[in-house]
Every structure is written in C-alpha cells, then in structure tokens.
Amino acid sequence: MGFSNILFLWASILPLIVLLYYFFRKKYKDQPISSTIFWEEVMQETKASPYLKHLQKNALLYLQLLALILFVLALMNPFIKTKEIAGEQSIWIVDTSATMLAGQTFAQHKEEMKSLASEFTGQPLTIITTGDEPKTIIRQETDSSAIHKAIDSLEVTYEEEQLIKAIDVAQAYIGETATSIYLFTDSVERGELPISSEQIKWIVKGASKDLQNVSIKRFAATSIGEEALALIQLKNETDEKKQVELILQDSEGRVIVEEGIALKEQEEMTKTFEKLPLTESLFATIQVEDDYEVDNSMVTILGNNLSQIVIDQQMHQLVQKGFQALNTEVKLVPSDQLATIKEALIVTNQVELLGKTDSPLILIGRDDELSEEVNSLVDVSEDALFAFSNLLFYSKNKRDSI
C-alpha cells in the first residue's frame, strides 16, 4: 500500500488538535440537586454497562476523530500495489550465455518466468534467446502449458550473449502493439537498451546479488625438448583479497604442480612453470570460493611445433586452397606416400592411416562413410524477418517497382 500525495500527511495534526481539546476541557462542574433518592440506582446501571456508558458519553469525540482521519486519508490518496503484466503483448529476451550460471542466476530466472507466466490473462508471449543468431522459442503463444514447456526447455548454450541482436529481433515483433519487453540477464548497461517510449516498456531482471568471481583467463603450454613450459593467467574480479589453490595435472591425471596463490582485489597475475614433465595435455584448476565455477578450470594441448602441412593429392582443390591460405608451407603428396610422412600435419580422407603413422591427422570426407543422394522437396516456411517487413524492389523505371 502507498500514498500518491504524501505531502498531505501534515493534515494528521487535525485529529490531534481535537483530541487535545477534549483532554483540557472542564471535566467537572458544581450542580446542585434536590434529592439523592435515585443516586444508588443510577450508579448500579453505570456499573452494569461501563463500556456502553463510556461510549455514550464520548460518542461525539469518536465521531469527530473518525471523520478527521478519513479526511486526512482522502487527502493523501491511498492506493494498493498489485502486479499486472503491462501492454497488449509480452516479449522475453533470455540471456543463455555461460555467465548466467554464476550464482544460479539462470535457474532463478526460470522460476521467475514461471511465476510471471501464471499471471498471464490471455496475453500473447514471445520468447527469444540470445546468441550470435537469436532464436525464437515461441511466438505469440497464449497457451499456458506450451509456455511452461518452453521455459523448461531453456538451456545455457555458452554462446556470447549478443544482446543487441536479440533486441533487434524483439523490435521486429512489436509492430504497432503496446508491448512489455522483459530482459532476463545477469547485468546490462543502460546505454545498450533502446530509447524508451509510451508504446514499449522495458523490464530488466538481473542477478539477485553482486557476484564474485576468480577466473583462469589464459592457459597455454608447449614442449621444449623433453620438457614442457606452461603459462597461466589468473584474475581476481572481486574487491577483496582471495586465496587460490592452483593445481596442474598431466594427461594421466597426476598432479605435477600444486601451489597456493594470494590475489589482491582486482589483480591480474601471470605465472610461468618451467621444466614440467612432457605430456600430451595439461589440465589446470583453481580452488576458490566464488559464484562462477565454469572458468575455474581449463585444459590445453601441448604444441608440437609442427609447421608443415601435407595434403593428400586426391583431396578437393578447395581444401588445398583453404590450407594454403592458413599456412605457406603446404605440400601436396600422393596418397601412397602419406604413411612415410613424419613431423607434419596430414590432411586426408584415408581412415586406414590412423594406425600407420604417428603424425597428427585431419580427416575430411572420410572414405569409410558412403555418400547418399538426397532427393526431396525444399521445405518453405515463414521467417520472422519478413513477417513485419514490406520488401520493395525498384528498377530505374519507377513504373516497374513492386
């Protein structure tokens, strides 16, 4: 409950004035009486109903106070707050990036979506997920069971959020309809949202608290002779000192480095580990109390310093051109000579080479799979991009435009 005219609270002094008047009025006065014959009877009646007698005696006071209190409330214009979905339709933009896993934000937002869905009274709902290519999960849906099913199907996709793209898609669905757009994300800058208007209402649902995170920013390793060299970069994104336990493991799961590191607030630290045992891969983890566990581990494959790329001569010319654009040292070798190649990256489609060479292989168009001809009709469906856009094609002659 609230008051729209709280300034009129000063009017509450009026009942106090009336109350003070009754406190200071003259309570007794001398009154001569002719007889006390009925005095005892009156006293008995008073004792039998004291509250009623008190009410009868002070009825005017209570009526005056009630009238003044109602007058003060009327001046302050009280109201009761209730939840209601604004607009003729609703659009939900759901952030599915990996940062939504911090502090169980994504799970909390799904519960809040279900709560909001139960308040719909026939309003159509559209749900859009973020990503490099925003996806429309449901469009103009009014069925409650379908909405709850769509909410349950939402999952984190680990794509970059790309909120601007999702907002552009949402604006294509608005048209001339009054719309409330809910943005479910961890955080968003005010400047990323379009300018508000009377037709569109923006509601941002962010993280429920200030999340703390300590992360592995970079992790790389390479082989130098019979040893390995690793580099790791840690960052404390909080405003307090954090104690981190760093663990490095080889490809067999054996611990080769275990070290405690103290990170100051907002500190970014880079550490190098030399003369590590040679292994195919390294796995780094940090043990720390934070709200985001996804970036507390990282794996890297040791570089083998292979600078030469060998391509099977029977591979398509486009494959050859593609690798030549990446590396200048690209050689074309006949298929029967690939097994003898050493210290080079081999690009082929021959699966049988997997057991004949120790060199790394890239299989493109494996020869152990059979190609199948597909003869079917192209499925044509309506796309949201063209649902609200009138496309006009113009030629030099305006009469030929359509």
Side-chain angles (χ1 to χ4, degrees):
M1 181 175 180
F3 299 92
S4 58
N5 296 324
I6 194 66
L7 293 178
F8 284 100
L9 184 61
W10 64 267
S12 60
I13 195 174
L14 298 178
L16 296 178
I17 293 175
V18 174
L19 194 61
L20 288 174
Y21 167 76
Y22 276 87
F23 281 159
F24 291 101
R25 71 173 181 170
K26 188 176 181 181
K27 297 182 179 179
Y28 303 100
K29 65 178 181 177
D30 296 334
Q31 180 67 40
I33 58 175
S34 59
S35 175
T36 60
I37 296 175
F38 302 104
W39 183 265
E40 185 177 352
E41 184 179 349
V42 171
M43 291 300 295
Q44 290 177 355
E45 181 182 351
T46 302
K47 292 178 181 179
S49 56
Y51 298 105
L52 182 60
K53 196 70 176 179
H54 179 78
L55 181 61
Q56 292 174 347
K57 183 178 179 181
N58 300 286
L60 181 60
L61 169 63
Y62 295 142
L63 290 174
Q64 289 175 337
L65 291 177
L66 178 61
L68 288 175
I69 291 173
L70 293 177
F71 174 71
V72 173
L73 290 176
L75 289 177
M76 296 174 64
N77 194 16
F79 60 87
I80 298 176
K81 294 182 179 180
T82 58
K83 288 186 177 180
E84 185 177 351
I85 306 300
E88 300 177 19
Q89 67 170 341
S90 291
I91 298 177
W92 293 355
I93 301 176
V94 183
D95 185 354
T96 56
S97 61
T99 56
M100 295 295 291
L101 295 176
Q104 301 296 320
T105 302
F106 193 74
Q108 294 172 4
H109 281 176
K110 289 182 70 172
E111 293 299 323
E112 190 167 3
M113 291 178 208
K114 293 179 181 178
S115 177
L116 286 173
S118 62
E119 299 177 8
F120 282 132
T121 56
Q123 290 174 305
L125 172 66
T126 301
I127 299 179
I128 302 170
T129 57
T130 62
D132 189 58
E133 295 183 1
K135 297 180 181 178
T136 302
I137 306 301
I138 56 174
R139 177 182 170 190
Q140 300 289 313
E141 184 60 63
T142 57
D143 183 35
S144 178
S145 60
I147 292 174
H148 280 81
K149 184 177 180 180
I151 294 173
D152 290 332
S153 67
L154 295 175
E155 295 180 351
V156 172
T157 59
Y158 296 92
E159 288 189 64
E160 189 177 353
E161 57 187 20
Q162 299 284 355
L163 282 178
I164 302 301
K165 291 184 178 180
I167 290 174
D168 290 340
V169 173
Q171 289 183 318
Y173 288 130
I174 296 173
E176 300 296 330
T177 307
T179 307
S180 58
I181 302 179
Y182 285 77
L183 181 56
F184 295 91
T185 183
D186 50 352
S187 62
V188 63
E189 296 293 336
R190 180 69 179 177
E192 295 183 32
L193 298 178
I195 299 175
S196 59
S197 63
E198 296 181 357
Q199 187 179 358
I200 304 174
K201 182 178 180 181
W202 291 89
I203 302 98
V204 178
K205 301 290 185 178
S208 58
K209 62 176 181 178
D210 294 331
L211 302 176
Q212 296 188 346
N213 186 39
V214 179
S215 62
I216 301 176
K217 300 293 291 185
R218 293 178 179 84
F219 182 46
T222 186
S223 59
I224 302 178
E226 298 299 323
E227 297 177 342
L229 172 67
L231 180 144
I232 189 168
Q233 186 178 50
L234 307 177
K235 185 174 182 180
N236 179 10
E237 301 177 13
T238 69
D239 295 327
E240 59 184 47
K241 186 177 180 180
K242 288 287 186 180
Q243 187 67 30
V244 177
E245 188 72 18
L246 173 63
I247 299 174
L248 295 184
Q249 296 174 290
D250 60 13
S251 58
E252 302 296 328
R254 295 185 293 266
V255 177
I256 57 178
V257 173
E258 188 171 359
E259 181 180 342
I261 301 174
L263 294 175
K264 298 179 181 179
E265 57 274 10
Q266 299 296 330
E267 181 183 6
E268 188 171 302
M269 177 185 292
T270 302
K271 291 187 69 68
T272 303
F273 297 93
E274 301 178 352
K275 298 182 178 180
L276 298 177
L278 191 61
T279 180
E280 294 181 356
S281 61
L282 284 175
F283 185 71
T285 58
I286 56 174
Q287 296 178 355
V288 63
E289 294 183 1
D290 64 355
D291 296 305
Y292 189 48
E293 297 181 358
V294 177
D295 58 3
N296 290 353
S297 61
M298 192 174 292
V299 65
T300 182
I301 299 176
L302 270 69
N304 52 16
N305 296 323
L306 295 177
S307 59
Q308 186 177 4
I309 298 177
V310 174
I311 299 180
D312 192 339
Q313 199 170 29
Q314 67 175 357
M315 297 296 291
H316 195 279
Q317 188 176 6
L318 290 178
V319 177
Q320 302 173 10
K321 295 295 183 181
F323 280 96
Q324 287 174 352
L326 298 175
N327 194 311
T328 56
E329 297 185 21
V330 176
K331 293 184 178 180
L332 300 179
V333 177
S335 301
D336 55 355
Q337 299 180 13
L338 293 176
T340 61
I341 300 297
K342 296 182 179 180
E343 297 183 356
L345 179 66
I346 301 176
V347 181
T348 183
N349 65 344
Q350 300 182 56
V351 179
E352 61 181 12
L353 289 176
L354 290 173
K356 295 182 179 181
T357 179
D358 294 331
S359 299
L361 295 176
I362 297 180
L363 297 176
I364 300 178
R366 308 166 52 118
D367 58 1
D368 61 341
E369 297 289 341
L370 299 177
S371 59
E372 296 181 4
E373 184 178 359
V374 178
N375 293 318
S376 61
L377 296 176
V378 177
D379 183 17
V380 179
S381 60
E382 293 186 3
D383 191 278
L385 177 62
F386 302 101
F388 300 96
S389 301
N390 296 322
L391 300 183
L392 298 178
F393 300 93
Y394 291 93
S395 65
K396 294 182 179 179
N397 188 347
K398 293 184 178 180
R399 289 178 298 178
D400 297 334
S401 62
I402 59 172

